[in-house]
Amino acid sequence: MRPFIFLLTLAFILCAPLRSDAQIHSHDHSSPYAGFTDREIKSMSPEEIEGLLNGDGLGMALAAELNKYPGPRHVLELGPALGLSVDQESKIQAIFDEMQNEARSFGRLIVELERDLDQTFVEGTISEACLGELLEAVALNRAHLRLVHLRAHIRLLPILTESQRMHYEKARGYAG
């Protein structure tokens, strides 16, 4: 039995490069980016654009969310289960509204900048200087957007009781 396993392993090792060469030289030139050329902004999915314009978190506050700093949207959704008081709900709603307004503004800026970046490539007018400026502006606005979302989590924490925070963790599936 051992010689058979040895020969099978040897055959696999010797044939593996041939198999990958055959795959490389096949006529299937598909790319994971196939179809992206039809996008409004090539580097952004329609879902990402929509999320940015809506002020959605898009995972930007995971550092807070997954480290016991609840998010205002989810706290409001879980409000009845958490037993929020009218005062708590009012304060959390204010934090959420402020976050949404700021996030939508930064989201619009990011989408506009990404559209500009895409358009300069489409027109063939891109230069290294222009590229640097656009990318710095995108990065700065993404950082501000992330700050908006993370700051909302920080501001929310002292409004909730320890019991509410524990219930939130459990309801979101973060705690046993």
Side-chain angles (χ1 to χ4, degrees):
M1 184 77 163
R2 283 192 177 196
F4 175 73
I5 293 173
F6 173 76
L7 290 174
L8 187 60
T9 304
L10 184 61
F12 177 78
I13 292 169
L14 293 174
C15 293
L18 298 175
R19 189 175 62 233
S20 62
D21 281 348
Q23 289 170 344
I24 290 170
H25 298 300
S26 75
H27 294 289
D28 181 13
H29 297 289
S30 65
S31 163
Y33 308 126
F36 285 19
T37 56
D38 298 331
R39 290 178 168 184
E40 174 189 357
I41 301 171
K42 309 294 187 284
S43 62
M44 299 178 78
S45 71
E47 296 79 17
E48 182 181 9
I49 293 170
E50 182 180 351
L52 287 167
L53 296 176
N54 288 336
D56 296 343
L58 303 173
M60 292 186 189
L62 286 176
E65 177 73 17
L66 299 177
N67 285 298
K68 301 183 184 215
Y69 285 78
R73 176 188 309 265
H74 303 301
V75 168
L76 290 170
E77 289 169 353
L78 293 169
L82 297 176
L84 295 178
S85 70
V86 173
D87 184 53
Q88 284 177 311
E89 190 171 337
S90 174
K91 289 176 181 176
I92 295 165
Q93 187 66 54
I95 291 169
F96 176 75
D97 291 344
E98 180 183 346
M99 178 192 74
Q100 280 294 105
N101 289 333
E102 289 183 57
R104 285 180 179 140
S105 293
F106 284 115
R108 278 192 302 276
L109 283 171
I110 293 164
V111 170
E112 288 173 23
L113 289 164
E114 289 283 357
R115 185 178 285 116
D116 290 347
L117 176 64
D118 190 70
Q119 194 59 39
T120 58
F121 276 101
V122 167
E123 294 168 355
T125 58
I126 193 74
S127 67
E128 286 188 40
C130 175
L131 177 63
E133 288 174 16
L134 282 168
L135 292 179
E136 284 179 20
V138 168
L140 181 62
N141 282 286
R142 282 193 182 270
H144 285 303
L145 177 59
R146 191 166 185 207
L147 172 66
V148 164
H149 285 285
L150 287 165
R151 185 177 55 212
H153 286 248
I154 292 169
R155 289 179 176 168
L156 179 95
L157 192 68
I159 297 170
L160 298 175
T161 66
E162 181 65 29
S163 174
Q164 288 170 325
R165 291 192 301 262
M166 288 173 47
H167 188 78
Y168 178 88
E169 291 290 309
K170 189 173 182 180
R172 296 283 292 160
Y174 308 142

